Amino acid sequence: MITVTNIGLRYGGRKLFENVNLKFTPGNCYGVIGANGAGKSTFLKILSGEIEANTGEVSISPNTRISILKQDQFQYDDVEVLTTVIMGNEKLIKIMKEKEEIYAKPDFSDEDGIKAAELEAEFSDMNGWEAESEASTILQGLGIRAELHYKLMKDLSGGEKVKVLLAQALFGKPEVLLMDEPTNNLDIKSTAWVEEFLINFEGIVIVVSHDRYFLNKVCTNMVDIDFGKIKLYVGNYDFWYQSSQLALQMLKDQNKKKEEKIKDLQEFIQRFSANASKSKQATARKKLLDKITLDDIEPSSRRYPFVGFKPDRDVGNDILFAKGISKTISGVKVLNDVSFTVLKNDKIVFLGNEIACTTLFQILTGEMEPDEGSIKWGVTITKSYFPRDNSKFFDDVDLNLIDWMRQFSEEKSESYLRGFLGRMLFSGDEALKAAKVLSGGERVRCMLSRMMLSHSNMLILDQPTNHLDLESITALNNGLMDYKSNILFTSFDHEFIQTIANRIIILTEDGVIDKRMAYDEYLESL
């Protein structure tokens, strides 16, 4: 068990949170949520002991082993992959090194023999003989092939290093897992493997994530950082979101009788419980949900940007014809004989190699020429493109946000542009910020604004949820669901894909696999 008592933290004059009192118990997975800058990662660092709070204390049951997902991909560059994973259990790796040092002694004494025997017993008690096998199993579950296990970390790609560090955190059956964005850069199969691992994990999991599907799948509770406080709620992300929206509606409707509000809450909980995940946590979660009272839920102070795309004209019968597209970059063939035709109402997600997807989008938008093949757009089509790398729009631009937006708007008045920026959460003096100093999430909101101003009937988006907080992801998701024209996009966000795409194109080394189906249906087919 982890007990947090009266924790408070300030940076300079800014209060992140105060008077935090929580208990984390085994068998539960806690999703930490909050707006960007609220202190989610900082809270994890307090729990791990990496930083110290200004007030209060964190108490952890004796002999509890905490495992932390590391973020530094270069920390273990000169270490073998398998050893890097085993290093997740510091006590075990220490015993292994002590054993090696003793056995390597040229003048091995009786005392050394006694010490070695003690270490061997401890090593056996910790399942040390199964360590390499367990580490290998985790690595292969995450898609790291057996032939890579004895290579040095520096020989792996960035994505492979991320998976090894995740394996390190999961290794050795720790009692507590602290994880900051564990699904970043994971492919479909690896993410599914992590989800199943965490669902069956018997200890405590505390995780920060912007992946709503992941939070819904694995979490039994949400830890919400809001109003400068941290509160614990029963249920997954969807339940927290929907209940907070219900509470907000109740707050607006002050004349409604409390009895009617309680009835609304009970009906909501009943609907939600009926649709709960079929994981082993669902039954326990439902029992807890049934105990919730009106006073247990609060409206959130989160601000959601407005994201809405309205095309100026409908598309015609001819939209896009791609035939035999091939492209080689730096001696590597990233696209090979890619052919497809886009029809009316198609909202297509492109899956496969990230470089291949980005290259294809650059060819479709005219930023790059194919080596072979042709692209033909219909005469009625107007395109708007969200590139994965948006730096050229900001880095060398000496404009404030109002003037930056004015470049892309037919309506040039400051009052109109301020109104538009306000809906995208740039209100007051925020609208006068220099474009080149914006954060990653702020840049994405500006790029989405640029797309909205274009009124195009074809949207092309390459990883649009990167850098966004949950609120902005939700707003963008809803905006694209409501969009009445064609979309081509890439994403790693499960819920984003499932709720938007009605067609899936997978880029392979030999061309494309084209499936006209929902994402969950496609995953079932695998």
Side-chain angles (χ1 to χ4, degrees), residues 402-499:
I402 293 174
D403 292 333
W404 188 90
M405 287 285 289
R406 190 175 275 123
Q407 302 174 97
F408 311 109
S409 176
E410 290 184 8
E411 172 60 68
K412 306 294 185 182
S413 71
E414 182 169 329
S415 60
Y416 173 79
L417 294 170
R418 275 189 174 275
F420 200 96
L421 285 165
R423 291 191 297 172
M424 293 302 286
L425 307 185
F426 297 106
S427 56
D429 290 342
E430 290 275 303
L432 298 175
K433 288 175 72 169
K436 61 185 177 185
V437 302
L438 296 179
S439 68
E442 289 172 330
R443 288 186 175 195
V444 171
R445 280 188 272 135
C446 284
M447 293 297 291
L448 294 174
S449 299
R450 170 179 170 270
M451 295 182 78
M452 285 188 272
L453 288 167
S454 73
H455 300 290
S456 302
N457 56 21
M458 168 63 78
L459 303 181
I460 304 173
L461 304 105
D462 194 357
Q463 296 295 342
T465 61
N466 284 359
H467 306 294
L468 290 182
D469 56 22
L470 280 165
E471 292 70 47
S472 297
I473 291 172
T474 301
L476 174 59
N477 199 158
N478 292 338
L480 293 177
M481 286 169 61
D482 293 338
Y483 182 60
K484 304 304 182 186
S485 197
N486 290 91
I487 304 173
L488 312 179
F489 72 103
T490 65
S491 179
F492 293 122
D493 187 308
H494 185 120
E495 185 167 342
F496 195 79
I497 299 172
Q498 169 61 21
T499 54

Side-chain angles (χ1 to χ4, degrees), residues 46 68 88 132 144 205 233 251 272 277 280 380 391 437 498:
I46 290 174
I68 305 162
E132 288 196 4
I144 302 296
V205 182
Y233 294 94
L251 192 65
F272 186 87
S277 163
K280 71 174 190 176
T380 62
S391 56
V437 302
Q498 169 61 21

Side-chain angles (χ1 to χ4, degrees), residues 6-150:
N6 198 35
I7 286 292
L9 184 67
R10 287 179 176 270
Y11 281 126
R14 183 185 172 221
K15 177 185 75 175
L16 275 182
F17 37 76
E18 65 181 0
N19 300 324
V20 178
N21 294 281
L22 303 169
K23 283 187 179 179
F24 300 97
T25 55
N28 288 311
C29 178
Y30 301 86
V32 183
I33 58 174
N36 281 353
K40 301 183 292 294
S41 297
T42 301
F43 182 61
L44 253 61
K45 290 177 181 177
I46 290 174
L47 295 178
S48 69
E50 185 178 339
I51 64 175
E52 191 173 335
N54 299 132
T55 62
E57 64 177 3
V58 176
S59 301
I60 302 172
S61 301
N63 302 316
T64 297
R65 187 165 78 82
I66 296 178
S67 188
I68 305 162
L69 176 59
K70 305 281 175 54
Q71 300 293 335
D72 184 357
Q73 295 182 20
F74 307 102
Q75 183 177 350
Y76 303 95
D77 269 3
D78 294 321
V79 182
E80 281 188 353
V81 168
L82 205 63
T83 303
T84 300
V85 175
I86 297 171
M87 288 172 73
N89 189 334
E90 293 180 4
K91 187 175 180 181
L92 179 63
I93 206 77
K94 183 181 176 183
I95 290 172
M96 291 171 70
K97 287 181 177 178
E98 284 189 52
K99 281 172 53 185
E100 288 175 7
E101 289 171 1
I102 289 175
Y103 290 136
K105 283 186 174 182
D107 52 344
F108 190 87
S109 65
D110 290 343
E111 289 181 1
D112 290 329
I114 294 170
K115 180 62 177 176
E118 292 173 351
L119 290 171
E120 291 289 4
E122 198 169 358
F123 181 74
S124 180
D125 289 342
M126 296 180 71
N127 292 319
W129 298 112
E130 287 79 43
E132 288 196 4
S133 174
E134 181 190 342
S136 179
T137 298
I138 296 173
L139 285 168
Q140 291 185 66
L142 290 169
I144 302 296
R145 305 183 310 277
E147 58 263 32
L148 297 177
H149 294 184
Y150 293 96

Side-chain angles (χ1 to χ4, degrees), residues 506-524:
I506 305 99
L507 300 180
T508 74
E509 293 179 356
D510 302 316
V512 302
I513 299 171
D514 196 338
K515 302 283 188 181
R516 191 169 289 281
M517 58 176 60
Y519 186 54
D520 281 346
E521 188 181 354
Y522 165 68
L523 293 181
E524 290 266 338

Side-chain angles (χ1 to χ4, degrees), residues 334-335 350-362 385 388 462 489-490 505 507:
V334 295
L335 294 173
F350 287 79
L351 305 177
N353 182 281
E354 293 178 56
I355 296 174
C357 291
T358 295
T359 301
L360 176 62
F361 282 9
Q362 289 174 330
Y385 176 41
R388 183 184 300 229
D462 194 357
F489 72 103
T490 65
I505 292 181
L507 300 180

Side-chain angles (χ1 to χ4, degrees), residues 170-404:
L170 302 178
F171 172 76
K173 300 180 177 62
E175 285 80 26
V176 178
L177 276 172
L178 301 180
M179 314 180 84
D180 197 347
E181 299 292 354
T183 60
N184 274 6
N185 300 308
L186 292 189
D187 54 35
I188 296 167
K189 291 183 179 179
S190 300
T191 300
W193 188 90
V194 173
E195 288 167 357
E196 286 303 311
F197 184 97
L198 295 181
I199 285 170
N200 294 300
F201 186 72
E202 295 179 356
I204 298 170
V205 182
I206 305 174
V207 58
V208 173
S209 177
H210 286 98
D211 186 328
R212 295 162 297 164
Y213 181 87
F214 178 77
L215 291 173
N216 284 329
K217 187 82 180 282
V218 306
C219 290
T220 58
N221 301 76
M222 303 311 297
V223 179
D224 182 33
I225 305 179
D226 201 3
F227 300 106
K229 298 185 180 299
I230 305 180
K231 290 195 173 183
L232 190 63
Y233 294 94
V234 172
N236 60 14
Y237 177 77
D238 272 355
F239 183 80
W240 169 85
Y241 172 73
Q242 294 177 40
S243 62
S244 70
Q245 295 300 300
L246 176 65
L248 188 62
Q249 184 58 46
M250 289 177 174
L251 192 65
K252 292 176 180 177
D253 191 6
Q254 292 290 351
N255 295 324
K256 197 172 184 181
K257 293 180 181 178
K258 186 166 183 177
E259 291 78 8
E260 292 177 358
K261 295 180 183 179
I262 292 172
K263 183 181 177 183
D264 286 346
L265 176 64
Q266 289 171 338
E267 289 175 353
F268 164 69
I269 291 172
Q270 191 172 16
R271 287 197 310 273
F272 186 87
S273 298
N275 294 325
S277 163
K278 292 183 174 62
S279 72
K280 71 174 190 176
Q281 300 135 320
T283 303
R285 184 188 296 154
K286 183 179 184 304
K287 289 178 182 177
L288 291 169
L289 291 177
D290 290 339
K291 295 177 183 178
I292 291 177
T293 68
L294 191 64
D295 295 329
D296 292 329
I297 64 173
E298 291 185 25
S300 170
S301 70
R302 305 285 205 287
R303 298 168 64 211
Y304 292 79
F306 170 80
V307 181
F309 304 94
K310 292 185 179 180
D312 271 346
R313 64 182 297 186
D314 293 335
V315 298
N317 292 324
D318 294 339
I319 298 173
L320 171 62
F321 303 91
K323 185 175 182 181
I325 301 299
S326 296
K327 184 69 178 180
T328 298
I329 298 176
S330 301
V332 178
K333 198 162 194 175
V334 295
L335 294 173
N336 181 27
D337 193 25
V338 173
S339 299
F340 60 91
T341 299
V342 177
L343 306 177
K344 276 188 177 181
N345 302 315
D346 275 349
K347 295 185 176 182
I348 307 173
V349 62
F350 287 79
L351 305 177
N353 182 281
E354 293 178 56
I355 296 174
C357 291
T358 295
T359 301
L360 176 62
F361 282 9
Q362 289 174 330
I363 290 172
L364 295 179
T365 55
E367 291 191 2
M368 185 183 291
E369 291 293 325
D371 296 335
E372 300 173 34
S374 63
I375 296 290
K376 182 181 178 183
W377 287 99
V379 295
T380 62
I381 303 303
T382 54
K383 306 182 291 291
S384 187
Y385 176 41
F386 180 100
R388 183 184 300 229
D389 180 6
N390 58 40
S391 56
K392 70 178 182 181
F393 290 90
F394 299 96
D395 286 352
D396 298 319
V397 177
D398 193 19
L399 297 172
N400 63 34
L401 286 192
I402 293 174
D403 292 333
W404 188 90

